[in-house]
């Protein structure tokens, strides 16, 4: 089964509606949205060169993020849910990761969530995630 079969709408329609969100509602994802995202992540489990990819959804309370600069060149407001993807290191793992994570971003868009990639992030955001020496976290996705 192709991963495209897991999208409800034509992928080109979702691509046209995708935007990077910087301000979020001050709440966690619903259980349904969490399940839908994590189910899709299970499908996107291999990079272009066969690298193993795994994901973890990390959530933060408003208090945990108080006084934290979450990521990057702008301040994100109320971003309390983060998808952290880990990929096995390889010569082309960053390209592979970009390919699979963009599909996760598109799925989040299709679900009506406001995803945003971020490659420059506070390491605090991935402290709750177990990353082995053979893996790397090229970026995170705020949702």
């Amino acid at each position: 089964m192709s991963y495209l079969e897991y999208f409800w709408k034509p992928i080109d329609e979702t691509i046209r509606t995708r935007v990077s969100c910087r301000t979020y509602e001050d709440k966690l994802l619903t259980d349904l949205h969490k399940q839908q995202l994590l189910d899709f992540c299970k499908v996107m489990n291999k990079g272009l060169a066969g690298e193993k990819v795994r994901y973890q959804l990390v959530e933060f309370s408003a208090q945990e993020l108080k006084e934290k600069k979450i990521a990057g060149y702008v301040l994100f407001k109320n971003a309390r849910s983060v998808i952290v993807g880990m990929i096995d290191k390889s010569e082309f793992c960053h390209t592979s990761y970009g390919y699979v994570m963009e599909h996760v971003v598109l799925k989040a868009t299709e679900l009506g969530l406001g995803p945003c990639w971020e490659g420059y992030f506070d390491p605090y955001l991935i402290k709750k995630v177990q990353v082995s020496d053979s893996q790397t976290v090229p970026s995170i996705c705020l949702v």
Side-chain angles (χ1 to χ4, degrees), residues 65-98:
L65 294 180
K66 195 173 185 173
E67 298 180 21
K68 286 273 183 200
K69 180 178 179 183
I70 295 176
Y73 58 94
V74 296
L75 293 177
F76 292 87
K77 186 174 180 183
N78 300 325
R80 294 181 44 201
S81 300
V82 178
I83 299 171
V84 179
M86 292 129 294
I87 187 167
D88 288 345
K89 292 177 183 175
S90 74
E91 184 178 359
F92 300 107
C93 65
H94 289 87
T95 301
S96 286
Y97 184 86

Side-chain angles (χ1 to χ4, degrees), residues 8 31-41 107 111:
W8 304 322
D31 288 340
L32 178 61
H33 281 145
K34 288 180 209 176
Q35 191 61 53
Q36 289 169 323
L37 273 175
L38 293 173
D39 286 348
F40 187 76
C41 286
K107 186 62 178 179
L111 294 172

Side-chain angles (χ1 to χ4, degrees), residues 35-59:
Q35 191 61 53
Q36 289 169 323
L37 273 175
L38 293 173
D39 286 348
F40 187 76
C41 286
K42 290 177 189 172
V43 174
M44 300 305 297
N45 63 357
K46 293 256 189 249
L48 295 170
E51 305 96 337
K52 184 178 174 186
V53 182
R54 70 180 178 88
Y55 307 85
Q56 186 170 332
L57 180 65
V58 181
E59 295 183 311

